[in-house]
Amino acid sequence: MGKTENNKAWFLVLPVFVIVAFSAIIPLITVVNYAFQDILGPQDRYWVGTEWFKEVLTDDALQEALLRQLVFSTAVLLVEIPLGIVLALGMPARGAGASAALVLMALPLLIPWNVVGTIWQIFARGDIGLAGWFINGPLGLDYNYTADSFDAWITILVMDVWHWTPLVALLCYAGLRAIPDAYYQAASIDGASRWAVFRHIELPKMRGVLLIAVLLRFMDSFTIYTEPFVVTGGGPGNATTFLSIHLAKIAVGQFDLGPAAAISIVYFLIILTLSFVFYNVMIRVGTGSSKS
Amino acid sequence: MSRSRIVVIVWYVFLLLPLYWLFNMSLKTNAEILSGLTLVPRNPTLANYRTIFTDPTWYSGYINSLTYVVLNTLISLSVALPAAYAFSRYRFIGDKHMFFWLLTNRMAPAAVFLLPFFQLYQTIGLFDTHIAVALAHCLFNVPLAVWILEGFMSGVPKEIDETAYIDGYGFPRFFLTIFVPLIRSGIGVTAFFCFMFSWVELLLARTLTTVNAKPIAATMTRTVSAAGMDWATLAAAGVLTIVPGALVIWFVRNYIAKGFALGRV
């Protein structure tokens, strides 16, 4: 599809540029400002160069938080993407059930994130929560997410699966609905197996939406804050202190402006690099496949 | 029954159980909650909901949240519509870089912006107003809106634009009377996503407000007190935060299938 060359189009983009720049560039300048200075008071500030960066990058707490974050995001993708595909394949395609299934599926996505945290905090508690009571009682397992690191991890992961798998499922569902019936008819005439239909018809058609799903899920899990903060507060110990929680502890909890700003910049550069890689992969795959 | 059907049924049970539990608790008294597990409330009571609807500190939270969410949706849509048109129809200097830069803001962690936003909005005197939260949420909603709308607009054949221009339509008139009605399902879907991401966000909303524009999600932290957790009221407040979302989904249910592909199927 040929686009016209027209630099006046910038006037149409200008409002977006202004409004996003206001929220993105000014704060970023503030952060850079803090990252290179030691600020003791309004008139009392010193240039410290890259000292904060050295301090922050050699800090074990940050490295551990980063590692934890990578493990968590990988786990999220490994569970949610396949599960989302299976759910999308199994959801009713038409009829009255389809509407209800869609609405229910989308429900967790529209619950405020801290309420999601609250729901799971209650649900997983040993004393008043159904799940916590069930695991400790009838199942006979020793489960307590506020004391045991492993239990806390499982709780956060299950919560994230509950919260965000619907997004993957709905994206895939949308991709599947765009496949004309003729494809399936042709496949059944050829005697194709269920797996062959999935592998050669459904999966290629879902490629575009799957990429969006992977991108969104990776980025959003990489910046997760509210839900684990409500459920575990980053604990027990530091077991569920992900990058954003670590950053918020230093910025708002301890009010260490310099280190917080340095972490922010490192964090932001990681995000920028990952976005760049994903974006380019998306463009390449997007133009190569059925972007009609 | 196929295997994937079984997975789906198990999923829906898993999906609904925590929600049922929240609803169940919202109908109990604190005494009953703490006295042991009951699958159905012994004496269902609406007292918790009455507390929320009669106490201004509670219900004003809902009004504040809805106010900034609606403001944000309106701002996002009105700036994103022309920009998305530009991205879908024209090539211009720096267009790809601009698009990428927008997307990075959608991906940026809110925690990074916490402190700068706090200071920025205090400096310009918008702290603790609805418009401050609405503007802050533009950081991730405007890029998303541009992205979704661009997808929908690219699906509209260019010949329509060209024919309209030949017929003597100017850009504003063409855009408002012909083009916007053509992509109204896309606009509905975009509004849905803006509403969703603004409604569920708490970190920025809580940081930028103290009293006057305090969101409901932040009010809920009030239930922790010296006397212990007020679980019942917390559960009732939680149930009520799900209601607006459920209503919005119900309205766009016919577009969800197409909408979640962000116009890119």
Side-chain angles (χ1 to χ4, degrees), chain A residues 110-112 114-116 118-119 122, chain B residues 19 21-28 33 45-53 55 57-62 65 199 215-224 229-245:
Chain A
L110 276 135
I111 301 174
N114 72 314
V115 179
V116 171
T118 305
I119 289 173
I122 293 172
Chain B
L19 293 176
W21 198 247
L22 187 77
F23 182 63
N24 178 20
M25 276 183 59
S26 75
L27 297 177
K28 294 179 182 175
I33 290 171
T45 167
L46 287 174
N48 303 314
Y49 291 97
R50 207 170 299 128
T51 310
I52 289 169
F53 281 117
D55 183 350
T57 51
W58 271 110
Y59 66 73
S60 69
Y62 286 97
S65 287
W199 175 251
I216 177 61
T219 312
M220 285 175 66
T221 51
R222 263 171 21 108
T223 51
V224 191
M229 287 289 281
D230 186 357
W231 292 112
T233 316
L234 183 72
V239 170
L240 288 177
T241 62
I242 302 175
V243 173

Side-chain angles (χ1 to χ4, degrees), chain B:
Chain B
M1 203 153 74
S2 72
R3 245 178 304 165
S4 64
R5 209 19 78 78
I6 296 172
V7 175
V8 171
I9 290 169
V10 172
W11 170 264
Y12 277 103
V13 173
F14 170 64
L15 179 99
L16 289 174
L17 266 183
L19 293 176
Y20 168 71
W21 198 247
L22 187 77
F23 182 63
N24 178 20
M25 276 183 59
S26 75
L27 297 177
K28 294 179 182 175
T29 59
N30 273 314
E32 184 181 349
I33 290 171
L34 294 172
S35 67
L37 224 61
T38 41
L39 290 177
V40 179
R42 252 175 278 141
N43 305 304
T45 167
L46 287 174
N48 303 314
Y49 291 97
R50 207 170 299 128
T51 310
I52 289 169
F53 281 117
T54 50
D55 183 350
T57 51
W58 271 110
Y59 66 73
S60 69
Y62 286 97
I63 297 169
N64 290 336
S65 287
L66 285 171
T67 310
Y68 69 70
V69 168
V70 169
L71 268 176
N72 171 269
T73 307
L74 291 177
I75 298 173
S76 300
L77 273 181
S78 49
V79 297
L81 271 170
Y85 182 78
F87 281 119
S88 77
R89 290 297 191 259
Y90 300 116
R91 256 181 296 133
F92 46 94
I93 297 171
D95 53 352
K96 292 206 174 67
H97 298 107
M98 179 75 186
F99 205 73
F100 173 67
W101 174 70
L102 282 176
L103 275 183
T104 59
N105 289 310
R106 168 62 183 79
M107 306 307 173
V112 167
F113 292 93
L114 220 54
L115 211 56
F117 269 4
F118 181 76
Q119 292 177 326
L120 174 66
Y121 283 102
Q122 248 175 0
T123 313
I124 59 175
L126 284 179
F127 187 73
D128 200 17
T129 58
H130 299 112
I131 192 80
V133 184
L135 280 176
H137 283 178
C138 281
L139 178 69
F140 46 82
N141 268 351
V142 167
L144 187 75
V146 172
W147 196 29
I148 299 175
L149 286 172
E150 195 266 339
F152 277 96
M153 287 178 180
S154 296
V156 178
K158 259 191 103 172
E159 286 70 26
I160 290 178
D161 309 30
E162 281 153 11
T163 315
Y165 292 138
I166 292 168
D167 286 351
Y169 278 81
F171 174 73
R173 187 159 153 242
F174 155 72
F175 194 70
L176 292 175
T177 62
I178 298 180
F179 198 73
V180 166
L182 271 179
I183 54 153
R184 57 175 184 277
S185 63
I187 294 175
V189 167
T190 314
F192 167 77
F193 272 91
C194 289
F195 180 94
M196 161 172 152
F197 280 108
S198 183
W199 175 251
V200 298
E201 206 279 340
L202 169 73
L203 191 53
L204 291 175
R206 192 185 58 190
T207 311
L208 294 178
T209 55
T210 47
V211 184
N212 294 327
K214 194 177 186 184
I216 177 61
T219 312
M220 285 175 66
T221 51
R222 263 171 21 108
T223 51
V224 191
S225 69
M229 287 289 281
D230 186 357
W231 292 112
T233 316
L234 183 72
V239 170
L240 288 177
T241 62
I242 302 175
V243 173
L247 285 177
V248 171
I249 308 175
W250 185 252
F251 281 122
V252 297
R253 67 186 182 284
N254 295 324
Y255 299 115
I256 284 184
K258 194 165 185 287
F260 266 91
L262 314 181
R264 274 176 175 73
V265 180

